[in-house]
Amino acid sequence: MPELVVTALLAPSRLTLKLLRAFMWSLVFSAALVAAAVYGCIAFTHVLCRPRRGCCGRPRSTPPACLSNPTLGEHCFLTLKSSGLRLHYVSAGRGNGPLMLFLHGFPENWFSWRYQLWEFQSRFHVVAVDLRGYGSSDAPRDVDCYTTDLLMTDIQDVILGLGGVPTSQAWPPSPCLASPWYLTYTGSSGPPGYSKCILVAHDWGALLAWNFSIYYPSLVERMVIVSAAPMSVYQDYSIRHIGQFFRSNYIFLFQLPWLPEKLLSMSDFQILKTTLTHRKRGIPHLTPSELEAFLYDFSQPGGLTGPLNYYRNLFRNFPLEPQELATPTLLLWGEKDTYFEQGLVGTISSRFVPGRLEAHILPGVGHWIPQSNPGEMHEYMWAFLRDLLD
């Protein structure tokens, strides 16, 4: 068929898609302006209630001691083969078993996996990474450096590169984490890395893990997903359940340039503090030092821009096609999750190959399961992974 005829036949579909995307972006930015007004009022209220803190976040000059706790593992850097970026990670249990790779969410970092690092290092090589833009990892400024495709390539490079040996020791301590426990690895030196891993992920890390299991299935032996749905599931569910849009209202604020960084940092990061420590919605029993473990990185110059750029790419590929899920997966969900409706679990189940998903809804539990209910999470994980250890 002549190319001109094909182009003519596809023209209506292409026009429809362009109009759909234009309509979607008009809705997104309308919602962003409303969210900006609401969060602006919240931020200025915090400033008025705590005038001594001022309108800006206080940069932390010294990291809390808990970030350099040697019982959690070694602090290392890995230079990624594809991008040349350097990611920071904490590693323990090398040589003790299969690779167990942890991907954190927002507003967190590798430290959100402290309980799991302690629990599983005896039988696995546990690695908790600071994702691109977070903590001591490299943080490009450009929004286009945080697309889902690039972030999945980062995960691939981490898995394939972690089998290397240290190329140098006594790496100069990062200004973001003064610690003597630094080594550096490169993705192109030393013996080859792992051929697969057990991927454990929460929140934003789980969004990436879902996608990674679809496009790189040979690299994922098992998955443990906590409090997140695949992007296509979230898209379809939210269109049919308007309540999910209200639960995720912050997503729209984060589409805007520079303003979210300003609002989140006002009154010494009070919005983030409330998110993490709220009596009902936050992480129970989070100590002041543990709170500082998260705020320290965000208080550094540009510390919020990288993480927020993840959200600024969320709608880039709208609309998304439904995809079948086949990786053996343990899904843990909090009954009282403030950010994601429980109905998402049923929609996730409907996308799975039969027998590949084990889902549990934890009664009375919120969004931050790895930190709020580590004991329950560990019980489910040991049972799920038992046959790999026999």
Side-chain angles (χ1 to χ4, degrees):
M1 187 178 294
E3 184 177 346
L4 185 61
V5 176
V6 174
T7 302
L9 291 174
L10 291 177
S13 297
R14 288 172 175 169
L15 178 60
T16 301
L17 185 58
K18 287 182 179 179
L19 291 174
L20 179 62
R21 285 179 173 166
F23 177 68
M24 182 272 296
W25 278 113
S26 68
L27 292 179
V28 167
F29 280 109
S30 296
L33 294 176
V34 174
V38 172
Y39 279 92
C41 291
I42 294 172
F44 280 106
T45 299
H46 288 316
V47 172
L48 292 174
C49 292
R50 304 170 180 85
R52 291 186 178 180
R53 293 185 182 177
C55 291
C56 299
R58 173 179 57 85
R60 275 70 171 164
S61 57
T62 306
C66 59
L67 282 177
S68 54
N69 183 345
T71 67
L72 290 171
E74 291 182 316
H75 290 268
C76 310
F77 284 105
L78 178 71
T79 301
L80 302 180
K81 184 176 182 179
S82 300
S83 64
L85 294 179
R86 197 181 59 149
L87 297 192
H88 165 254
Y89 66 95
V90 173
S91 168
R94 175 177 289 273
N96 289 348
L99 172 63
M100 182 179 285
L101 180 62
F102 296 94
L103 306 178
H104 63 80
F106 176 83
E108 300 172 291
N109 55 27
W110 71 268
F111 187 71
S112 64
W113 298 110
R114 57 196 178 280
Y115 297 110
Q116 289 70 43
L117 291 172
W118 279 318
E119 177 73 14
F120 292 101
Q121 62 181 268
S122 62
R123 300 297 302 274
F124 296 90
H125 178 197
V126 292
V127 172
V129 65
D130 272 337
L131 293 170
R132 175 190 296 221
Y134 283 84
S136 299
S137 293
D138 285 347
R141 300 286 295 182
D142 194 338
V143 174
D144 290 338
C145 292
Y146 294 87
T147 64
T148 302
D149 289 345
L150 291 175
L151 296 170
M152 286 194 297
T153 302
D154 286 355
I155 299 170
Q156 177 193 32
D157 286 350
V158 168
I159 295 169
L160 298 179
L162 276 174
V165 295
T167 56
S168 65
Q169 286 189 269
W171 182 268
S174 162
C176 293
L177 186 59
S179 167
W181 294 88
Y182 276 87
L183 304 173
T184 179
Y185 293 77
T186 68
S188 57
S189 67
Y194 291 93
S195 61
K196 55 188 174 181
C197 74
I198 297 147
L199 202 53
V200 186
H202 172 247
D203 190 75
W204 243 111
L207 289 179
L208 298 176
W210 283 118
N211 261 39
F212 189 79
S213 71
I214 294 168
Y215 292 103
Y216 300 88
S218 64
L219 294 178
V220 185
E221 187 168 16
R222 299 281 176 89
M223 277 206 309
V224 179
I225 298 291
V226 187
S227 308
M231 293 180 187
S232 62
V233 170
Y234 180 83
Q235 167 196 275
D236 295 346
Y237 182 89
S238 298
I239 291 172
R240 299 193 309 270
H241 300 82
I242 193 66
Q244 181 57 57
F245 275 118
F246 289 102
R247 286 180 181 238
S248 306
N249 56 75
Y250 56 91
I251 288 176
F252 301 105
L253 170 67
F254 295 166
Q255 301 308 307
L256 300 174
W258 69 263
L259 182 61
E261 285 92 329
K262 181 63 177 176
L263 295 180
L264 292 183
S265 64
M266 290 175 71
S267 192
D268 197 32
F269 303 96
Q270 185 57 46
I271 289 179
L272 292 182
K273 289 179 179 178
T274 301
T275 298
L276 293 169
T277 62
H278 191 275
R279 185 173 61 85
K280 292 184 178 180
R281 301 189 302 271
I283 304 169
H285 314 301
L286 192 71
T287 67
S289 178
E290 290 169 341
L291 174 62
E292 285 299 311
F294 300 121
L295 296 181
Y296 176 79
D297 291 326
F298 297 129
S299 76
Q300 304 308 310
L304 281 167
T305 299
L308 292 179
N309 281 342
Y310 283 60
Y311 291 93
R312 290 169 179 143
N313 280 285
L314 262 181
F315 298 99
R316 177 183 288 256
N317 298 317
F318 178 88
L320 298 168
E321 291 293 326
Q323 293 166 309
E324 187 177 64
L325 304 169
T327 301
T329 300
L330 170 65
L331 175 63
L332 301 178
W333 205 274
E335 179 192 25
K336 302 293 185 182
D337 195 313
T338 307
Y339 306 102
F340 297 112
E341 290 188 357
Q342 191 173 316
L344 282 162
V345 176
T347 308
I348 295 170
S349 300
S350 69
R351 301 281 179 87
F352 256 91
V353 171
R356 298 292 180 89
L357 175 67
E358 178 185 331
H360 299 277
I361 297 175
L362 279 58
V365 175
H367 181 71
W368 314 95
I369 293 172
Q371 298 182 73
S372 65
N373 297 79
E376 291 177 74
M377 178 176 175
H378 298 163
E379 287 183 21
Y380 284 120
M381 285 181 64
W382 282 119
F384 179 65
L385 301 172
R386 183 180 298 119
D387 61 304
L388 296 181
L389 300 173
D390 289 344

